[in-house]
Amino acid sequence: MTDNFHASSILPCPGPVNRRGFLRMGLAGFASMSLPGILRLRAASPVQKKKDNTAVIMVWQPGGCSHIDTYDPKPNAPIEYRGPFNTIRTSVPGMDFTELLPMQAKIADKFTVLRSMRHGSPGHPAGTLRMLTGDTDIRDKSIPKYPDWMCVTNYLRAQQGPRENPLPPYVGINFSSQRVGATYLGDAYGPFTVSGDPNKPNFSVPNIGLSNSAEVTQLDRRASLREKLDTLERSFDQAGELEALDEFEAQALTLLTNPKAKEAFDISKEDDKTRDRYGRNTWGQQLLMARRLVEAGVDVISTSLSGPLCGRVNNWDDHAVNHHVFDALRFRSQAYDQAVSALIEDIYERGLDERVLVVVTGEFGRTPKVNYQPSTGAGNASAPAGTKQPGRDHWPRAFSNIWAGGGIETGRFIGASDKLGEDSIERICGAGDFLATIYHHLGIDSSHVFIEDFNGRPTPIVADQGKPIPELIG
């Protein structure tokens, strides 16, 4: 693949104007704009073809998934390590999973398991920042120092020129981004956010696709507020930001007025058989929406498998104080297995597997040795408070993730952990390698791209300068 960004790529960060609101403001916001302003935005609508149509869907497991209980079972380890789950064969000889993943086991020839991930950040904030931004600081932070790879991709692709596609380039579907974000790139390069339960009959995404022509006409007739727009224009002209601001206003207006945008988000357009195949639950319908959006031309989609389907504490953080780890894995496994296998199958059946890369991961794994602590409360997958139950804690020294599509060779596993699952020992890969691999698929040479931070310092987009994982390059 030809890299779009190379050694000479030192890019200035954008101005301080918060433009993300223009992508979310909806009819109420645009109703306050004057007719000349709206006509100007339409004139600025994207006309140039996108130079690269590769895309990534990232499925995030917040809290960290136990590698031993899923993709890297240890059937010969002592019971306090291996857990209670049986090992099952997959469609790939020699690559066994646990019984929690029968659907993924059947299509294991369509993805690759990386079993040797490792980094040194043991806390949720630090681990998340490590995996999504490349920050090597092991300390937990409440505010990220570097932008995440999704926002970086959005920013770099924006430098290629306007989009022809009316859809936003980056969409987050129930993605918990509290620990990551655009930082010095500016909020404009964050995701268009979709929240709520797409499985509910009345689910809809606000601020896209006005339902009738009268609403569009209403936008054009608000000339009485021209003076407000003129004042806004003058203030932004002083900062030299008007041209960039217009670009994001144009994107927002396009979302409002283009029926194709509304249709792409509308999973009710899918037939019942397809919706059933993904699972009639939040996770299944999130991943179905992700497939619809990437098929319609969205570049980056991030989605978190969190909430009630995880168990009492709404994530994969299976400490004994939170969950009975094995009950929690049983509780969420059917929805997880079904949704992920349906997404991967669809990517191949619809001919998206060359240009679309699917990555499923969390920030780290869970401790190989099971420990027992009193529960802090009753709920799904957790016994009443005070009841001693099994759990697994944070473990960044060895964990697994899965990769599909992207033109990669599938039906295999990369690397290995030791016999107890405590340490990655073969083909060890770090977070920098993880990020460099994703960037490579997107046509970005992460080793040579720098973006100026708040202080004007050229900052690499992967702090530890990882290298693309050869086995995961299409």
Side-chain angles (χ1 to χ4, degrees):
M1 182 183 298
T2 300
D3 290 326
N4 296 320
F5 305 96
H6 45 76
S8 61
S9 298
I10 300 179
L11 303 172
C13 65
V17 179
N18 184 328
R19 308 184 189 97
R20 182 180 177 187
F22 285 95
L23 288 172
R24 304 292 314 279
M25 68 194 305
L27 177 60
F30 277 95
S32 67
M33 296 180 65
S34 68
L35 178 60
I38 290 170
L39 293 177
R40 185 191 69 248
L41 296 183
R42 285 182 173 169
S45 294
V47 293
Q48 181 177 327
K49 279 190 176 182
K50 189 170 61 174
K51 296 180 178 67
D52 192 348
N53 68 348
T54 52
V56 175
I57 299 173
M58 189 188 69
V59 182
W60 186 248
Q61 300 161 305
C65 175
S66 169
H67 54 297
I68 288 178
D69 296 307
T70 53
Y71 301 104
D72 190 13
K74 303 296 179 182
N76 297 320
I79 186 63
E80 63 266 29
Y81 285 85
R82 71 174 183 262
F85 303 119
N86 294 322
T87 299
I88 60 173
R89 293 180 178 179
T90 72
S91 60
V92 178
M95 186 168 75
D96 296 341
F97 295 164
T98 73
E99 62 185 305
L100 297 178
L101 303 173
M103 300 182 77
Q104 291 182 44
K106 290 180 180 178
I107 63 160
D109 58 311
K110 290 183 168 60
F111 59 88
T112 289
V113 180
L114 177 55
R115 284 178 166 171
S116 53
M117 280 297 303
R118 179 176 183 168
H119 62 70
S121 301
H124 292 299
T128 299
L129 292 172
R130 191 73 164 250
M131 290 295 289
L132 299 184
T133 76
D135 190 344
T136 58
D137 190 346
I138 65 172
R139 297 171 298 177
D140 288 337
K141 300 185 185 77
S142 58
I143 299 175
K145 180 179 180 180
Y146 304 108
D148 61 59
W149 71 263
M150 299 86 75
C151 296
V152 170
T153 300
N154 193 5
Y155 172 69
L156 292 177
R157 287 201 164 175
Q159 312 313 304
Q160 296 178 319
R163 282 170 60 84
E164 182 180 59
N165 195 308
L167 291 166
Y170 171 26
V171 176
I173 306 173
N174 286 330
F175 179 68
S176 178
S177 57
Q178 297 172 343
R179 295 187 175 107
V180 295
T183 64
Y184 47 77
L185 297 180
D187 282 351
Y189 298 100
F192 178 87
T193 302
V194 176
S195 59
D197 184 356
N199 190 50
K200 290 184 176 179
N202 61 347
F203 174 80
S204 65
V205 180
N207 299 335
I208 59 171
L210 297 179
S211 58
N212 58 62
S213 58
E215 291 176 312
V216 178
T217 302
Q218 182 185 18
L219 292 177
D220 290 345
R221 290 181 176 176
R222 299 307 297 263
S224 62
L225 297 179
R226 182 182 307 148
E227 184 177 348
K228 289 185 178 181
L229 179 65
D230 291 341
T231 301
L232 179 65
E233 287 179 343
R234 285 194 298 273
S235 67
F236 277 104
D237 275 337
Q238 293 171 4
E241 292 288 338
L242 184 57
E243 182 178 352
L245 181 61
D246 288 350
E247 177 185 341
F248 290 95
E249 289 176 338
Q251 290 180 26
L253 185 65
T254 300
L255 272 177
L256 277 171
T257 58
N258 194 304
K260 291 183 178 179
K262 184 175 183 178
E263 182 174 349
F265 285 91
D266 189 358
I267 59 174
S268 70
K269 301 290 185 182
E270 298 286 338
D271 60 59
D272 287 342
K273 183 178 179 181
T274 299
R275 297 193 67 178
D276 292 343
R277 185 160 59 87
Y278 275 80
R280 292 285 187 150
N281 54 62
T282 305
W283 292 356
Q285 302 308 295
Q286 280 179 200
L287 298 197
L288 176 56
M289 181 182 291
R291 190 269 290 161
R292 284 185 63 84
L293 291 174
V294 80
E295 197 170 32
V298 175
D299 296 343
V300 174
I301 299 169
S302 59
T303 183
S304 294
L305 302 185
S306 56
L309 285 173
C310 274
R312 180 174 72 96
V313 299
N314 295 322
N315 56 44
W316 297 65
D317 194 23
D318 292 332
H319 300 285
V321 295
N322 291 338
H323 290 145
H324 182 300
V325 58
F326 304 122
D327 286 352
L329 288 163
R330 288 189 187 95
F331 181 81
R332 68 178 73 107
S333 64
Q334 196 278 331
Y336 169 72
D337 190 33
Q338 182 176 3
V340 170
S341 60
L343 174 63
I344 292 172
E345 284 185 303
D346 254 7
I347 292 299
Y348 286 89
E349 290 175 2
R350 292 175 173 266
L352 301 171
D353 55 289
E354 289 294 323
R355 73 175 188 88
V356 178
L357 178 67
V358 176
V359 184
V360 183
T361 192
E363 64 265 41
F364 39 53
R366 312 299 302 184
T367 49
K369 189 173 183 179
V370 179
N371 65 76
Y372 291 81
Q373 297 291 332
S375 167
T376 56
N380 288 326
S382 182
T387 305
K388 188 172 285 189
Q389 59 187 12
R392 296 190 190 269
D393 299 327
H394 305 176
W395 198 255
R397 286 164 45 184
F399 61 106
S400 301
N401 44 47
I402 66 172
W403 304 67
I408 68 174
E409 183 181 342
T410 57
R412 58 180 177 171
F413 58 90
I414 302 168
S417 62
D418 62 30
K419 63 182 181 180
L420 297 179
E422 291 182 322
D423 287 289
S424 296
I425 58 172
E426 294 179 12
R427 195 66 187 84
I428 299 170
C429 297
D433 305 317
F434 172 88
L435 292 169
T437 304
I438 292 175
Y439 278 131
H440 186 276
H441 171 72
L442 292 165
I444 299 168
D445 182 354
S446 60
S447 66
H448 292 99
V449 179
F450 296 77
I451 299 174
E452 292 180 0
D453 65 12
F454 287 121
N455 297 313
R457 291 189 297 256
T459 303
I461 60 173
V462 177
D464 68 355
Q465 292 297 291
K467 297 179 180 180
I469 301 166
E471 299 93 329
L472 295 174
I473 293 177

